[in-house]
């Protein structure tokens, strides 16, 4: 029995699924999740000292790779002065100022401890600012696990939501409307019908949580136009895309001007941080200035702020994003070439250094097309890739990421590993897709 298997056996006694977040349990791909011992640059090692090229990067934060010396150095310097005070600190102000200067649509912001807290707070703020209750989200998007957001579309033509998790009251779910992503006409129709009762629309400008699905221009423009026309706020959830594609939000590349933006992941450089921010007139509603309460013991804690400051400082280095783009394109091209060579139904959706390999005959442009992907084929491929030493997110419906430490040598090595994994996946298909044991 490997050390990971030993540890997982114990972990399942005390943690549901043996994990601290469901996707980590490898439920969609089978097998024992490796327990990770350490990371360095683009690689991680598990407790059995197997090494992997890491494309999960903690689900996005590690755009500089693991163990970045500058991030570690500043975080340790600040930690030595005290881990947390429950009081304002200069480093917190520094990170706040860096974010404000990177986002034209963020005049003021509030730090929290996770993306979930950021979106939950932004929705409460939008409801208070507009005096309305209903919110709009899009199928396949994930904005964290606040009750209002664990909601799926009601059946038939019903526009009200139904819970997407036990424990979410119907009364809360029915206030969440859900539409297909990338469907501009559906947005127009909904706002024509009930736009004046909608407090906000929350959208991932580039979706990463049904796998990567890039929004189309008309859709994003329509969400902005309709929210503006009907007095609803637009919340851009950039928890995954913030500082991923550019120094700031992907909203800048897409020409989107939201009222509120939520952030997380990269702005904490791997430590727990979230943030929500927007125009001054909206943010002044937040306590203690205004009547919208939101608080947090460890919000703005100095060590996480330091990790964020050091990360953003480094991301400002010129050419960072063009190098990330070039490496990501090179890897995507190598993988696509192998997919074609082996006659696999493989499509890559990519935005900068975040991408998803969909095993799908058809283009993936929304949740209904994403869910048609061959998840059994992904499952087998995932296990082949893991054996090759590629650490990918264990779900067809997740994004994977590159870091600035995924240099030419790593990309070449990874390309060969992807090619061998795809070749063995093709062989598995040719053998009649026998039951594969991870
Ligand atoms: P957290 O509460 O996990 O910090 O953030 C929630 C969240 C909000 N918005 C977007 C666009 C997100 O991608 C996330 C979190 N993403 C998932 C990965 N799909 C985190 C991984 C996990 O849940 O373990």
């Amino acid at each position: 029995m490997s050390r990971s298997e030993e540890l997982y056996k114990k972990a399942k006694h005390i943690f549901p699924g043996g994990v601290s977040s469901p996707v980590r349990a490898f439920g969609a791909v089978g097998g024992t999740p490796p327990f990770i011992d350490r990371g360095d640059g683009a690689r991680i090692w598990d407790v059995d000292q197997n090494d992997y090229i890491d494309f999960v990067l903690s689900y996005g934060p590690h755009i500089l790779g693991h163990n970045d010396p500058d991030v570690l150095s500043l975080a340790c310097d600040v930690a030595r002065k005290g881990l947390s005070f429950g009081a304002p600190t200069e480093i917190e102000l520094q990170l706040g100022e860096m974010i404000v200067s990177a986002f034209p649509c963020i005049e003021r912001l509030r730090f929290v401890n996770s993306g979930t807290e950021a979106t939950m707070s932004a929705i409460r703020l939008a409801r208070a600012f507009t005096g309305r209750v209903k919110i709009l989200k899009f199928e396949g998007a994930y904005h964290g696990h606040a009750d209002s957001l664990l909601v799926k579309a009601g059946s038939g033509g019903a526009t009200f939501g139904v819970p997407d998790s036990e424990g979410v009251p119907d009364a809360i779910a029915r206030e969440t409307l859900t539409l297909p992503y990338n469907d501009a006409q559906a947005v127009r129709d909904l706002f024509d019908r009930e736009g004046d009762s909608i407090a906000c629309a929350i959208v991932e400008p580039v979706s990463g949580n049904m796998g990567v699905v890039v929004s189309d221009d008309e859709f994003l423009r329509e969400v902005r136009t309709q929210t503006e026309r009907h007095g609803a706020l637009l919340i851009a959830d950039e928890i995954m895309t913030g500082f991923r594609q550019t120094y700031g939000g992907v909203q800048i590349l897409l020409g989107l001007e939201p009222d509120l933006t939520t952030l997380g992941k990269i702005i904490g450089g791997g430590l727990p941080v979230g943030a929500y921010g927007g125009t001054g007139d909206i943010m002044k509603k937040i306590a203690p200035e205004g009547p919208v309460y939101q608080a947090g013991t460890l919000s703005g804690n100095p060590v996480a702020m330091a990790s964020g400051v050091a990360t953003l400082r480094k991301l400002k280095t010129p050419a960072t994003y063009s190098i990330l783009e070039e490496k990501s394109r090179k890897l995507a091209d190598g993988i696509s070439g192998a997919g074609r060579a082996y006659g696999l139904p493989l499509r890559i959706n990519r935005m900068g250094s975040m991408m998803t390999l969909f095993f799908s005959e058809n283009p993936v442009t929304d949740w209904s097309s994403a869910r048609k992907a061959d998840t059994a084929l992904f499952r087998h491929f995932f296990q082949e890739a893991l054996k090759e030493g590629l650490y990918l997110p264990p779900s067809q419906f997740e994004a994977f990421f590159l870091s600035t430490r995924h240099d030419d040598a790593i990309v070449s090595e990874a390309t060969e590993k992807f090619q061998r994994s795809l070749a063995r996946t093709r062989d598995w298909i040719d053998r009649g897709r026998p039951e594969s044991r991870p």
Side-chain angles (χ1 to χ4, degrees):
M1 180 181 278
S2 71
R3 182 114 179 86
S4 281
E5 287 167 329
E6 255 174 61
L7 294 174
Y8 193 45
K9 197 157 174 274
K10 287 183 190 166
K12 283 190 283 191
H13 285 304
I14 60 170
F15 306 136
V19 293
S20 295
S21 196
V23 70
R24 304 177 191 173
F26 274 34
V29 295
T32 298
F35 276 56
I36 303 304
D37 177 49
R38 63 192 172 89
D40 191 57
R43 290 184 192 279
I44 52 176
W45 285 260
D46 67 21
V47 291
D48 295 292
Q49 292 319 304
N50 300 303
D51 76 296
Y52 306 88
I53 299 175
D54 184 12
F55 288 99
V56 176
L57 297 171
S58 187
Y59 288 92
H62 289 305
I63 193 168
L64 297 179
H66 295 282
N67 233 2
D68 178 86
D70 298 311
V71 173
L72 266 188
S73 158
L74 185 59
C76 291
D77 289 351
V78 168
R80 277 188 210 94
K81 293 162 60 178
L83 298 180
S84 181
F85 308 105
T89 60
E90 186 173 358
I91 194 83
E92 172 187 38
L93 176 58
Q94 235 178 309
L95 184 59
E97 287 174 336
M98 292 173 91
I99 291 170
V100 166
S101 64
F103 278 80
C105 288
I106 298 181
E107 291 171 7
R108 308 179 82 203
L109 73 155
R110 167 64 60 83
F111 286 119
V112 292
N113 295 285
S114 69
T116 293
E117 272 190 83
T119 55
M120 176 177 73
S121 309
I123 282 167
R124 182 181 307 139
L125 173 56
R127 284 173 160 159
F129 187 78
T130 60
R132 300 172 182 177
V133 176
K134 288 206 181 302
I135 65 169
L136 168 62
K137 72 177 284 289
F138 296 91
E139 280 162 6
Y142 177 69
H143 302 288
H145 63 88
D147 281 355
S148 294
L149 293 164
L150 290 181
V151 174
K152 60 189 174 195
S155 57
T159 55
F160 56 80
V162 294
D164 205 7
S165 162
E166 290 202 11
V168 173
D170 288 344
I172 289 182
R174 70 175 62 249
E175 301 302 344
T176 300
L177 310 172
T178 310
L179 290 178
Y181 193 77
N182 272 336
D183 186 337
Q185 189 54 53
V187 173
R188 275 190 286 274
D189 295 346
L190 176 71
F191 274 87
D192 287 350
R193 280 201 314 275
E194 41 191 310
D196 297 343
S197 68
I198 296 174
C200 63
I202 183 166
V203 65
E204 292 178 69
V206 173
S207 185
N209 287 291
M210 50 182 122
V212 174
V213 172
V214 182
S215 56
D216 71 40
D217 269 353
E218 188 203 358
F219 165 69
L220 271 194
R221 227 188 2 262
E222 201 58 46
V223 177
R224 179 64 285 184
T225 302
Q226 294 299 333
T227 45
E228 205 131 45
R229 182 172 300 162
H230 291 272
L233 298 188
L234 175 57
I235 302 172
D237 180 350
E238 295 227 37
I239 286 156
M240 191 182 281
T241 54
F243 295 97
R244 172 55 59 182
Q245 283 85 10
T246 186
Y247 187 78
V250 77
Q251 58 190 252
I252 298 166
L253 303 181
L254 301 176
L256 184 71
E257 296 184 351
D259 301 295
L260 290 171
T261 298
T262 52
L263 296 169
K265 295 181 193 274
I266 290 174
I267 66 164
L271 293 183
V273 193
Y276 62 100
T279 54
D281 63 327
I282 298 174
M283 290 304 290
K284 70 172 186 274
K285 298 282 277 187
I286 293 291
E289 284 179 25
V292 180
Y293 195 71
Q294 180 271 311
T297 303
L298 293 173
S299 295
N301 81 80
V303 186
M305 298 290 103
S307 176
V309 164
T311 298
L312 298 196
R313 258 188 208 146
K314 213 150 178 182
L315 287 175
K316 261 199 126 166
T317 314
T320 297
Y321 290 96
S322 53
I323 293 169
L324 271 170
E325 170 58 26
E326 184 238 327
K327 300 288 184 286
S328 303
R329 187 186 318 113
K330 189 174 165 193
L331 178 66
D333 290 350
I335 296 170
S336 302
R340 282 191 300 277
Y342 302 125
L344 292 167
L346 182 61
R347 288 172 179 276
I348 298 183
N349 283 7
R350 177 175 76 84
M351 185 74 172
S353 55
M354 80 186 233
M355 66 180 96
T356 296
L357 273 58
F358 281 107
F359 286 90
S360 169
E361 297 289 354
N362 308 304
V364 176
T365 57
D366 58 12
W367 176 234
S368 69
S369 48
R371 63 195 301 187
K372 293 191 182 94
D374 187 335
T375 50
L377 193 48
F378 174 85
R379 179 190 178 105
H380 185 84
F381 160 73
F382 175 87
Q383 291 298 345
E384 294 293 358
L386 194 65
K387 281 181 228 155
E388 277 287 341
L390 294 172
Y391 192 75
L392 301 172
S395 162
Q396 170 66 95
F397 308 114
E398 289 287 354
F400 75 78
F401 306 94
L402 277 78
S403 79
T404 53
R405 301 289 295 279
H406 286 68
D407 57 19
D408 281 329
I410 292 276
V411 168
S412 303
E413 181 188 345
T415 303
E416 285 168 20
K417 290 175 183 287
F418 272 104
Q419 285 165 342
R420 286 195 294 271
S421 308
L422 291 168
R424 283 203 292 275
T425 301
R426 171 78 257 172
D427 176 53
W428 176 72
I429 296 170
D430 295 343
R431 285 184 290 113
R433 299 172 68 133
E435 179 57 33
S436 52
R437 247 172 299 291

